[in-house]
Amino acid sequence: MARASVRSGRAAVRPFLRLFVAPAVLCALGFAAALAAVMQYSLRAYVPGSLEAGGFTLANFAALIRPLYARVFLDTVWICFLTASFTLIVGYPLAYALVHARNVALKSAILVIAVTPLFLGEVVRTYSWIVVLGNNGFLNSMLLKLGLVDAPMQFMFTEFGVITALVHVTLPVMVIMLAAALSHIDRDYERAAASLGAGPIRVFLTVTLPLSTPGIIAGVTTAFAWTFSAFATPQLIGGGRVNMVANLVYQLGFASFNFPFAASLSVAGLILTFAVLALMRAAASPLERIRQH
Amino acid sequence: MPAEPRFSAPARVADGTNGSAHAAVALTGVTKQFGKITALDAVSLFVRHGELMTLLGPSGCGKTTLLHLVAGFLIPESGEIAIDGQRITDVPAYRREIGIMFQNYALFPHMSVAGNVGYGLRMRRIARPEIDRRIADALALVKLAGLEERRPRQLSGGQQQRVALARALVIRPKVLLLDEPFSALDRNLRASMQVELKEIQRKLGVTTIFVTHDQSEALSLSDRIAVIADGRIRQLNTPHEVYRHPSDRFVASFIGDANVLRAHLERIEGAVASVALGAARVTVPMRTLEGSAVGSAVDLFVRPEDLRVAETDAAAAAHGTIAAQIYQGGHIDLYVDAPEVSSGRVLLRVPSHEAASLRPAGTRIAIALAADVAIAFRSA
């Protein structure tokens, strides 16, 4: 009797739970199946000249430590690290201004600058960076006109070019996450600090910045993971000279048709992403409760 | 020997009662606008040294705006603000030497209790031993010694409020600002915190501006009350004066309970007038009845405790039927339907010991006036 009433009580609280959860479960099953397929492939042997994979082997993973591939992994982590850092440096002032601006025009200008890149495809954004970074591009013609350089500088096919474009691609996510964190900081904290004698810079350093650390951690980890899977930007701007994991996977899978090795690269990339994110979380955990005293 | 808090009370000016030059806080013709809305309209206010001044008004009346102007979080469009005779109208908040306690306390969640209380001292680059000593004194003052290392979230609401008070006082502010500090506390805690705050404020002699919309809180705590409505100060006086001699209709109905009874003006005698309510007569000041002629209808404002149940019909102000009796402990609230004098219910506040002989709901009674002075306004 009592049990029945508990049941009916639950049903009344969440009557459509099963109905609503069903699509999510289907999606999750699909993803899990795809992931299982990739994992299964990563453990199969490559049969040259055939699209069919051979028997089970660990040789693919053993090959990963060869300098040629290990190098790409290290480069990718380094590019992701730099991209996440620069995105944070560029994104924080934008997010801060977005949250604190009283002027509506300024607010919408920041929002447009920060968020519209989301609505353009990655390929479109990357092509526009080619226009800016090319040897006859906007940046070089400016530098030449201003007399800062004698000959065009090489931006295309460099790590600098790739990271610049990646920062632009990643910026909207960072700004949105930081703005969300900053807007949740009660203005009374900053007012209290000011009343106690802290000037604007000290208010920022001792109150606003520490209270926004959850947003910074979330933004940086997301930017890192987001960049790790970048493909179009390093492909087009790196032009084969700056390779990230996704480009290597593409070359092996669709140029060499070595599906098993491409799969093991993907799996390794996934594991590496998780490892780096876990490391970042661990390193940031003392930051989450900064002690001031 | 118990550690006696080492707070120095600011020296009281011999007679800093009038004029902007000697006031602890002086606002002169201050106007603040938000877009097209005028939050404060040419307000002048002089707070005396060491007094507890309450800004009382309904929400949106401009009282918090006024507090933020004194704190320096807002800059007025026109007018001047001075603290201790020094013009600070455009001095930023962090140079004003003001302690403020917020409604939600705004304790820094990433700092310990000691970190919070010591924040203002660290900003002043005071030496470490002195900081520690003053933190200990301030926490002793608010009876929180021993909780230095706790985090704000590990404290009860009352404890958080004490930390907020200690943090505001430890910098020895020229003015203490309190923004609805008791609204988040439950009733019993609120009463004891009010008493304690008043004691601390007296002990330190710190000039205090207190914002509230709770009229009973204002009456019990304040040295003087500024009643604010629509961006203007409607009345500024002691709690007793504001309660007994409200300057206008708004103040009369906003502060305390008031019965508005239909009466008529019987006789004018210079500055006072006699108003007739049934067989009862009451004297009212003429200043609130400017332009009313003898015989015209007026609204008589009578406090519930100024009405009683009449023994005889001889001096009955009105007759009515008891609609409800509400036992309040020390007194009984008696709601009476008396359609001849009021369209709503008339409230009588009768001491409990007199209530033994009262009759149940539905009984007809005669109401008499217990006071011979009241206040009346022209009929709305």
Short mmCIF file of all heavy atoms in Angstrom, two decimals, chain B residues 269-301:
data_model
loop_
_atom_site.label_atom_id
_atom_site.label_comp_id
_atom_site.label_asym_id
_atom_site.label_seq_id
_atom_site.Cartn_x
_atom_site.Cartn_y
_atom_site.Cartn_z
N GLU B 269 -9.98 76.74 15.46
CA GLU B 269 -9.51 77.69 16.48
C GLU B 269 -8.04 77.96 16.23
O GLU B 269 -7.18 77.37 16.87
CB GLU B 269 -9.72 77.12 17.88
CG GLU B 269 -11.17 76.98 18.27
CD GLU B 269 -11.37 76.03 19.45
OE1 GLU B 269 -10.38 75.40 19.89
OE2 GLU B 269 -12.51 75.90 19.92
N GLY B 270 -7.75 78.83 15.27
CA GLY B 270 -6.36 79.17 14.97
C GLY B 270 -5.63 78.01 14.34
O GLY B 270 -6.01 77.54 13.27
N ALA B 271 -4.60 77.51 15.07
CA ALA B 271 -3.75 76.45 14.50
C ALA B 271 -4.35 75.07 14.71
O ALA B 271 -3.83 74.11 14.19
CB ALA B 271 -2.36 76.52 15.13
N VAL B 272 -5.38 74.98 15.50
CA VAL B 272 -6.00 73.67 15.71
C VAL B 272 -7.47 73.69 15.32
O VAL B 272 -8.05 74.76 15.11
CB VAL B 272 -5.86 73.20 17.18
CG1 VAL B 272 -4.40 72.97 17.54
CG2 VAL B 272 -6.51 74.19 18.12
N ALA B 273 -8.04 72.51 15.24
CA ALA B 273 -9.45 72.41 14.89
C ALA B 273 -10.08 71.30 15.70
O ALA B 273 -9.38 70.42 16.20
CB ALA B 273 -9.60 72.13 13.40
N SER B 274 -11.38 71.35 15.82
CA SER B 274 -12.10 70.30 16.51
C SER B 274 -12.84 69.47 15.47
O SER B 274 -13.52 70.01 14.60
CB SER B 274 -13.08 70.91 17.51
OG SER B 274 -13.84 69.88 18.10
N VAL B 275 -12.65 68.17 15.55
CA VAL B 275 -13.28 67.27 14.58
C VAL B 275 -14.29 66.41 15.32
O VAL B 275 -14.03 65.92 16.43
CB VAL B 275 -12.21 66.40 13.90
CG1 VAL B 275 -12.85 65.24 13.14
CG2 VAL B 275 -11.36 67.24 12.95
N ALA B 276 -15.44 66.24 14.71
CA ALA B 276 -16.50 65.45 15.33
C ALA B 276 -16.59 64.09 14.67
O ALA B 276 -16.60 63.97 13.45
CB ALA B 276 -17.83 66.18 15.18
N LEU B 277 -16.61 63.07 15.54
CA LEU B 277 -16.78 61.69 15.06
C LEU B 277 -17.86 61.08 15.95
O LEU B 277 -17.63 60.75 17.10
CB LEU B 277 -15.47 60.91 15.20
CG LEU B 277 -15.46 59.49 14.67
CD1 LEU B 277 -15.55 59.46 13.16
CD2 LEU B 277 -14.21 58.76 15.14
N GLY B 278 -19.07 60.97 15.42
CA GLY B 278 -20.19 60.55 16.24
C GLY B 278 -20.36 61.54 17.39
O GLY B 278 -20.35 62.76 17.17
N ALA B 279 -20.46 61.02 18.60
CA ALA B 279 -20.63 61.88 19.76
C ALA B 279 -19.28 62.34 20.33
O ALA B 279 -19.23 63.11 21.27
CB ALA B 279 -21.43 61.16 20.84
N ALA B 280 -18.19 61.85 19.73
CA ALA B 280 -16.86 62.16 20.26
C ALA B 280 -16.28 63.39 19.57
O ALA B 280 -16.63 63.70 18.43
CB ALA B 280 -15.92 60.97 20.06
N ARG B 281 -15.42 64.11 20.29
CA ARG B 281 -14.74 65.28 19.74
C ARG B 281 -13.24 65.07 19.91
O ARG B 281 -12.79 64.55 20.94
CB ARG B 281 -15.15 66.55 20.50
CG ARG B 281 -16.63 66.89 20.37
CD ARG B 281 -16.97 67.30 18.94
NE ARG B 281 -18.40 67.55 18.81
CZ ARG B 281 -19.30 66.59 18.50
NH1 ARG B 281 -18.90 65.34 18.32
NH2 ARG B 281 -20.58 66.88 18.39
N VAL B 282 -12.46 65.49 18.92
CA VAL B 282 -11.02 65.34 19.02
C VAL B 282 -10.34 66.55 18.40
O VAL B 282 -10.85 67.14 17.44
CB VAL B 282 -10.57 64.00 18.36
CG1 VAL B 282 -10.84 64.01 16.87
CG2 VAL B 282 -9.11 63.72 18.63
N THR B 283 -9.22 66.95 19.00
CA THR B 283 -8.49 68.11 18.51
C THR B 283 -7.44 67.67 17.50
O THR B 283 -6.71 66.69 17.74
CB THR B 283 -7.81 68.84 19.69
OG1 THR B 283 -8.82 69.15 20.65
CG2 THR B 283 -7.13 70.13 19.23
N VAL B 284 -7.35 68.37 16.36
CA VAL B 284 -6.35 68.03 15.34
C VAL B 284 -5.64 69.33 14.94
O VAL B 284 -6.21 70.40 15.04
CB VAL B 284 -6.99 67.38 14.10
CG1 VAL B 284 -7.71 66.10 14.47
CG2 VAL B 284 -7.89 68.35 13.37
N PRO B 285 -4.37 69.22 14.47
CA PRO B 285 -3.70 70.42 13.97
C PRO B 285 -4.31 70.85 12.63
O PRO B 285 -4.74 70.01 11.85
CB PRO B 285 -2.24 69.98 13.80
CG PRO B 285 -2.30 68.50 13.67
CD PRO B 285 -3.49 68.04 14.43
N MET B 286 -4.33 72.17 12.40
CA MET B 286 -4.91 72.69 11.17
C MET B 286 -3.96 72.56 9.97
O MET B 286 -4.39 72.58 8.83
CB MET B 286 -5.26 74.19 11.34
CG MET B 286 -6.74 74.54 11.46
SD MET B 286 -7.88 73.53 10.52
CE MET B 286 -8.03 74.46 9.00
N ARG B 287 -2.65 72.41 10.25
CA ARG B 287 -1.68 72.46 9.13
C ARG B 287 -1.94 71.39 8.07
O ARG B 287 -1.65 71.58 6.90
CB ARG B 287 -0.23 72.35 9.66
CG ARG B 287 0.10 70.99 10.23
CD ARG B 287 1.52 70.85 10.72
NE ARG B 287 1.62 69.74 11.64
CZ ARG B 287 1.75 68.47 11.27
NH1 ARG B 287 1.84 68.16 9.99
NH2 ARG B 287 1.80 67.50 12.16
N THR B 288 -2.51 70.25 8.48
CA THR B 288 -2.77 69.21 7.50
C THR B 288 -4.16 69.36 6.89
O THR B 288 -4.58 68.52 6.10
CB THR B 288 -2.66 67.82 8.14
OG1 THR B 288 -3.53 67.76 9.27
CG2 THR B 288 -1.24 67.52 8.58
N LEU B 289 -4.86 70.43 7.27
CA LEU B 289 -6.24 70.60 6.79
C LEU B 289 -6.41 71.91 6.04
O LEU B 289 -7.53 72.38 5.86
CB LEU B 289 -7.22 70.57 7.97
CG LEU B 289 -7.50 69.20 8.58
CD1 LEU B 289 -8.28 69.33 9.86
CD2 LEU B 289 -8.26 68.31 7.59
N GLU B 290 -5.27 72.48 5.58
CA GLU B 290 -5.30 73.77 4.89
C GLU B 290 -6.44 73.82 3.88
O GLU B 290 -6.57 72.94 3.03
CB GLU B 290 -3.97 74.02 4.15
CG GLU B 290 -2.77 74.25 5.06
CD GLU B 290 -2.89 75.50 5.92
OE1 GLU B 290 -3.50 76.48 5.44
OE2 GLU B 290 -2.41 75.49 7.06
N GLY B 291 -7.28 74.85 3.99
CA GLY B 291 -8.30 75.07 2.98
C GLY B 291 -9.62 74.36 3.26
O GLY B 291 -10.58 74.54 2.52
N SER B 292 -9.66 73.55 4.34
CA SER B 292 -10.93 72.89 4.64
C SER B 292 -11.86 73.84 5.38
O SER B 292 -11.42 74.57 6.27
CB SER B 292 -10.69 71.66 5.51
OG SER B 292 -9.89 70.74 4.82
N ALA B 293 -13.11 73.81 5.00
CA ALA B 293 -14.08 74.70 5.64
C ALA B 293 -14.77 73.96 6.79
O ALA B 293 -14.80 72.74 6.81
CB ALA B 293 -15.12 75.16 4.62
N VAL B 294 -15.30 74.74 7.72
CA VAL B 294 -16.07 74.16 8.81
C VAL B 294 -17.24 73.39 8.21
O VAL B 294 -17.90 73.85 7.28
CB VAL B 294 -16.57 75.26 9.77
CG1 VAL B 294 -17.58 74.70 10.76
CG2 VAL B 294 -15.40 75.91 10.50
N GLY B 295 -17.46 72.16 8.72
CA GLY B 295 -18.56 71.34 8.23
C GLY B 295 -18.15 70.38 7.13
O GLY B 295 -18.88 69.45 6.81
N SER B 296 -16.93 70.56 6.57
CA SER B 296 -16.53 69.66 5.48
C SER B 296 -16.06 68.31 6.05
O SER B 296 -15.66 68.20 7.20
CB SER B 296 -15.43 70.31 4.65
OG SER B 296 -14.29 70.49 5.45
N ALA B 297 -16.14 67.31 5.19
CA ALA B 297 -15.74 65.97 5.60
C ALA B 297 -14.21 65.87 5.62
O ALA B 297 -13.53 66.43 4.76
CB ALA B 297 -16.32 64.95 4.63
N VAL B 298 -13.70 65.21 6.66
CA VAL B 298 -12.24 64.99 6.74
C VAL B 298 -11.98 63.52 7.06
O VAL B 298 -12.86 62.81 7.53
CB VAL B 298 -11.59 65.88 7.84
CG1 VAL B 298 -11.73 67.35 7.50
CG2 VAL B 298 -12.18 65.56 9.20
N ASP B 299 -10.74 63.10 6.75
CA ASP B 299 -10.33 61.74 7.12
C ASP B 299 -9.55 61.82 8.42
O ASP B 299 -8.48 62.43 8.47
CB ASP B 299 -9.44 61.13 6.02
CG ASP B 299 -10.26 60.74 4.80
OD1 ASP B 299 -11.50 60.63 4.94
OD2 ASP B 299 -9.67 60.58 3.72
N LEU B 300 -10.08 61.23 9.46
CA LEU B 300 -9.42 61.24 10.76
C LEU B 300 -8.56 59.98 10.89
O LEU B 300 -9.05 58.87 10.70
CB LEU B 300 -10.49 61.27 11.85
CG LEU B 300 -9.98 61.44 13.29
CD1 LEU B 300 -9.36 62.82 13.49
CD2 LEU B 300 -11.12 61.21 14.27
N PHE B 301 -7.25 60.19 11.13
CA PHE B 301 -6.34 59.05 11.30
C PHE B 301 -6.22 58.75 12.78
O PHE B 301 -5.78 59.61 13.55
CB PHE B 301 -4.96 59.38 10.72
CG PHE B 301 -4.87 59.14 9.25
CD1 PHE B 301 -5.65 59.87 8.36
CD2 PHE B 301 -4.00 58.18 8.74
CE1 PHE B 301 -5.58 59.64 6.99
CE2 PHE B 301 -3.92 57.95 7.38
CZ PHE B 301 -4.70 58.68 6.49
#
